[in-house]
Amino acid sequence: MRVKEGLRVDKRAVKAWIMYDWANSAYATTVLAAVLPVFYASVAAATVDKDTAASYLAYTHSIGMLCVALLTPLLGTLADLSGRKGDFLRVFAITGIVATLGFSVIGEGDWLLASVLLVLSTIGFAGGNTFYDAMLPDLVPAERRDMVSSKGYAYGYIGGGLLLATNLLMIQQPGWFGMPNTLAGTRLAFISVSLWWLLFSLPIFRYAPRRPVSPEFPASWTGYTKVGVRRLRQTFGQIRRFPQLLRMLVAFWFFNDGINTIILMATIYGTSIGIGTSDLMLALLLTQFIGFPCTLLLGAWAQQWGAKRVLLVSLSVYICIVILGYFMTQALHFYILAGLVGVVQGISQSTARSLFSNLMPAGRTGEYFGFVNITGKFASIFGPFVFGYVGQITGSTRWGILSLIFFFVAGIAVLLTVQVQKGLQDARSADQEELERIQSHGTAGKGNGVTFSS
């Protein structure tokens, strides 16, 4: 028996969900990718040598992601039980916003404070995204998720790109904004990111969808951890019941590691072969603005042709990017590759998200996305390691970048075995069982316009 899919879709909630990607992408582009690495080395860790500063920053990123990996599966379980993923998103987002604002007061030599703030902002950003991703099945039925997911990434590109362009002007032309110098412009950039993130998060804070409260939800705070751990243990055991989801997860481990490594190492690789800093920053902007229309266009194609097919094409383009990167010699080549990344990066991530949401039981997306988060974070250590190790033993970062082909080929090979329709049926069957169990307890409530299950 199939769970009935209703027609009620809260358009305000969908728009608010899309707008949150616009909001928090400012942190990803300005803080993580462009401004903070330079600020950390030149200001926060100015009292230590450059190699030590780089190590401190790397350790800080690792600690932050480890905290996210350990926290989100348990919190995702509790968000599912309570039906209030929006409340958890709000807490994490505000944590990230406040921590980002704190960067504006960092002084010379305050590397420890900067590291603490980076850990907190990472927890807020990445942890919040776990609950944000898990909301997708609560917003729209399966046939609309590819398009809505793509719109989220597309608006994230344009929102993050617009503020990044403004922030770079603040830093390079501080006088235009009434700032006396570059450092003051950098502090203003951090303030602008926190305000941007807060302002455009307000809609999702208000209109986040809710699901019925589970009969397992504890009556008091003291029972939260016990119930959450028990559900999480069940998730680890029950994921084998969803073989298509498990295959998708393995494929994701491979290709997402390759994508993340390209994102993390692109600037370092470009620098190592002589590309100037200004060209690297402009290429980053190019990626953002190409990503907006391409993610929307390919999202529409994914809705028509299927997310799996479009994802396979985008991963094939990544193989071409890696090969072309091996032969890259000048700034023009870097711009071309940045443009290609802009074409496929958003759609590869958005289609992966929508595929996951279709293969998961709708009542447990918080804990399953938490499981994807924790395993994905641990899997993501291999790409940078392989890049660095191959580059070290060969004496050339070109061979390091070429080694990433393995991750995309392996990801494509496993993805080809995923049977999406079979996985969707498995998820709907699990949802039906969960609904009948809730009804048998007499505690089925009403959600916030969410009348479909998958």
Side-chain angles (χ1 to χ4, degrees):
M1 186 167 66
R2 178 177 168 178
V3 178
K4 182 179 180 181
E5 294 188 342
L7 299 177
R8 292 181 59 196
V9 173
D10 188 339
K11 294 182 179 179
R12 295 176 304 179
V14 173
K15 291 178 180 178
W17 187 86
I18 292 171
M19 188 55 64
Y20 184 73
D21 218 323
W22 171 290
N24 75 348
S25 290
Y27 174 84
T29 55
T30 293
V31 178
L32 291 183
V35 177
L36 184 62
V38 176
F39 178 79
Y40 190 96
S42 61
V43 178
T47 54
V48 301
D49 62 82
K50 291 183 178 181
D51 291 337
T52 302
S55 297
Y56 284 173
L57 183 59
Y59 296 151
T60 302
H61 279 303
S62 298
I63 292 171
M65 295 315 300
L66 178 62
C67 291
V68 172
L70 295 177
L71 280 173
T72 50
L74 176 59
L75 293 175
T77 300
L78 295 178
D80 283 334
L81 293 175
S82 67
R84 296 188 174 187
K85 296 164 192 162
D87 293 345
F88 285 86
L89 171 62
R90 186 183 302 112
V91 171
F92 275 79
I94 291 175
T95 299
I97 290 166
V98 173
T100 300
L101 183 63
F103 287 127
S104 65
V105 301
I106 295 294
E108 185 172 308
D110 291 338
W111 63 267
L112 182 58
L113 177 58
S115 292
V116 171
L117 291 174
L118 180 55
V119 169
L120 290 175
S121 63
T122 298
I123 291 173
F125 174 74
N129 278 344
T130 298
F131 303 108
Y132 171 72
D133 291 341
M135 282 184 199
L136 184 57
D138 301 342
L139 291 166
V140 290
E143 62 270 14
R144 290 187 56 186
R145 289 177 198 156
D146 294 332
M147 192 65 241
V148 172
S149 181
S150 298
K151 282 184 177 179
Y153 272 102
Y155 277 78
Y157 273 124
I158 198 70
L162 284 173
L163 190 60
L164 175 60
T166 304
N167 292 150
L168 292 178
L169 286 176
M170 289 177 180
I171 295 169
Q172 296 175 1
Q173 302 292 338
W176 293 1
F177 299 87
M179 297 292 105
N181 52 45
T182 295
L183 180 57
T186 302
R187 298 187 192 282
L188 180 60
F190 288 132
I191 295 172
S192 71
V193 171
S194 62
L195 293 177
W196 181 283
W197 191 352
L198 175 62
L199 176 63
F200 294 107
S201 296
L202 295 178
I204 195 66
F205 290 170
R206 180 176 182 181
Y207 296 116
R210 293 186 178 183
R211 295 186 64 86
V213 177
S214 169
E216 296 181 56
F217 190 70
S220 65
W221 285 93
T222 57
Y224 283 8
T225 300
K226 181 179 179 181
V227 172
V229 170
R230 184 174 70 244
R231 273 283 290 255
L232 190 57
R233 189 182 302 118
Q234 292 173 354
T235 298
F236 290 154
Q238 291 178 358
I239 195 170
R240 289 175 294 181
R241 178 184 173 185
F242 306 101
Q244 308 311 318
L245 174 59
L246 190 56
R247 292 176 186 179
M248 177 63 195
L249 182 60
V250 175
F252 178 78
W253 289 341
F254 282 112
F255 70 74
N256 190 61
D257 198 2
I259 293 172
N260 284 337
T261 304
I262 288 177
I263 294 172
L264 291 173
M265 307 309 295
T267 301
I268 295 175
Y269 178 64
T271 301
S272 71
I273 63 174
I275 308 299
T277 302
S278 59
D279 287 317
L280 295 175
M281 292 298 101
L282 288 175
L284 178 60
L285 278 175
L286 178 67
T287 300
Q288 301 298 311
F289 290 110
I290 288 181
F292 172 68
C294 289
T295 303
L296 285 178
L297 176 61
L298 294 177
W301 289 356
Q303 187 167 315
Q304 181 178 357
W305 299 340
K308 176 183 171 181
R309 185 177 300 175
V310 173
L311 178 56
L312 286 169
V313 172
S314 69
L315 297 180
S316 299
V317 173
Y318 266 113
I319 293 178
C320 297
I321 290 172
V322 170
I323 294 173
L324 292 173
Y326 172 80
F327 293 103
M328 182 173 63
T329 59
Q330 54 185 275
L332 176 61
H333 299 158
F334 195 85
Y335 281 110
I336 294 172
L337 292 182
L340 288 175
V341 170
V343 171
V344 295
Q345 182 174 303
I347 195 61
S348 61
Q349 293 173 323
S350 67
T351 50
R353 178 168 62 189
S354 62
L355 277 172
F356 270 127
S357 69
N358 288 341
L359 300 175
M360 295 174 180
R364 294 197 172 201
T365 53
E367 60 191 85
Y368 275 108
F369 268 111
F371 183 78
V372 170
N373 193 301
I374 185 172
T375 57
K377 294 296 180 294
F378 284 121
S380 292
I381 68 174
F382 295 106
F385 175 80
V386 169
F387 176 93
Y389 181 71
V390 172
Q392 185 178 25
I393 63 175
T394 61
S396 172
T397 54
R398 294 186 185 276
W399 288 104
I401 200 75
L402 192 63
S403 68
L404 299 181
I405 285 181
F406 164 76
F407 295 95
F408 294 108
V409 171
I412 289 173
V414 179
L415 183 59
L416 286 170
T417 69
V418 177
Q419 302 175 46
V420 178
Q421 290 303 315
K422 178 64 168 61
L424 184 59
Q425 293 172 5
D426 292 341
R428 284 174 171 168
S429 296
D431 286 330
Q432 180 63 48
E433 294 174 9
E434 180 74 7
L435 178 62
E436 292 174 352
R437 189 173 67 84
I438 292 175
Q439 290 175 338
S440 69
H441 281 76
T443 57
K446 294 183 179 181
N448 185 24
V450 181
T451 57
F452 46 83
S453 71
S454 176

